[in-house]
Amino acid sequence: MLNEQLKNHRIILASGSPRRQAFFKDLGLDFDIILKPVKEEYPPRLAHFEISNYLAQLKALPFKNELKDNDILITSDTIVWHHNKALGKPRDKEEAFSIIKSLSNATHEVITSVCFTTKTYEKTLHAITKVTFKDLTNEEIEYYISTCKPFDKAGAYGIQEWIGQIGVTKLEGSYFNVMGLPTHLVYKTLNDIANKS
């Protein structure tokens, strides 16, 4: 449906995430995957969604001078916000354990920002989902890390994996946002772009 409206556009997804790529397929969109390396660093003064907004926009920068008239570039970033700090991807098993332990028996926020860039404008949106975990045992955390190896995930977990199935007791907001893409916002924004063109 949306694909037909966007037939005169080329959608570029600048993400190596298999989850985000699967979402775009599920939305019925034709898209190209193009990756450009970016050092994902942000100024320490930024907090909360300012961080993910900044990083999503940063990922669009290397493409700026290459976009053609009908290109729509989509870049995104997900962070886990807990105790007033951003939790990124764990470097090793020990860090993964300590991150998940801090999320145990508590509520945190998952924030995903999506930046839409064309030759003439840029728009950045974000979604926030509150996730509550039960009191996870050390054995449960260790089992999850050893079987699912969540080192490519912000906050050291994937909600669609075992730990989400047994550990999440409450969710406020978009489930897909926690997986890495607020699909409802992407769909609405692409619809808006299609209707304007």
Side-chain angles (χ1 to χ4, degrees):
M1 192 168 95
L2 183 55
N3 206 39
E4 179 60 25
Q5 291 172 273
L6 291 165
K7 66 184 177 198
N8 296 323
H9 292 85
R10 178 194 184 206
I11 296 173
I12 302 166
L13 176 63
S15 174
S17 161
R19 294 172 297 283
R20 288 187 184 129
Q21 292 169 14
F23 281 140
F24 271 71
K25 285 186 187 123
D26 292 344
L27 287 169
L29 296 168
D30 292 329
F31 61 96
D32 293 330
I33 298 164
I34 302 176
L35 305 175
K36 289 184 185 281
V38 171
K39 206 167 188 184
E40 294 185 34
E41 294 177 345
Y42 56 88
R45 69 174 189 279
L46 298 182
H48 208 240
F49 69 82
E50 293 172 338
I51 296 171
S52 50
N53 277 8
Y54 178 90
L55 291 173
Q57 290 163 4
L58 185 70
K59 290 173 184 178
L61 277 178
F63 294 86
K64 284 279 174 77
N65 297 324
E66 298 174 11
L67 293 177
K68 297 184 170 60
D69 290 342
N70 65 338
D71 288 347
I72 304 169
L73 172 70
I74 299 172
T75 51
S76 59
D77 192 79
T78 299
I79 64 163
V80 169
W81 186 256
H82 191 45
H83 295 324
N84 289 317
K85 68 175 184 180
L87 302 177
K89 297 168 186 174
R91 285 183 293 260
D92 50 38
K93 280 184 182 178
E94 289 70 31
E95 191 174 19
F97 183 91
S98 104
I99 289 173
I100 298 172
K101 191 72 179 167
S102 77
L103 301 178
S104 173
N105 203 25
T107 300
H108 62 274
E109 291 181 324
V110 179
I111 310 166
T112 300
S113 295
V114 186
C115 179
F116 299 83
T117 308
T118 70
K119 204 170 179 180
T120 53
Y121 84 100
E122 184 175 277
K123 181 175 191 177
T124 306
L125 305 162
H126 70 272
I128 300 171
T129 305
K130 290 186 177 179
V131 182
T132 304
F133 270 110
K134 77 178 184 84
D135 193 359
L136 297 160
T137 67
N138 289 352
E139 291 75 21
E140 286 168 340
I141 297 171
E142 284 164 2
Y143 171 79
Y144 171 66
I145 293 167
S146 66
T147 54
C148 293
K149 300 182 172 44
F151 306 114
D152 64 332
K153 296 176 178 70
Y157 80 93
I159 194 169
Q160 71 278 16
E161 296 175 339
W162 183 82
I163 199 130
Q165 293 166 11
I166 65 105
V168 172
T169 58
K170 191 177 179 187
L171 193 76
E172 293 176 67
S174 163
Y175 171 83
F176 298 113
N177 185 52
V178 185
M179 282 180 70
L181 197 74
T183 47
H184 61 293
L185 286 183
V186 172
Y187 180 81
K188 181 184 182 306
T189 307
L190 287 175
N191 245 320
D192 292 346
I193 292 170
N195 291 332
K196 278 178 195 155
S197 55

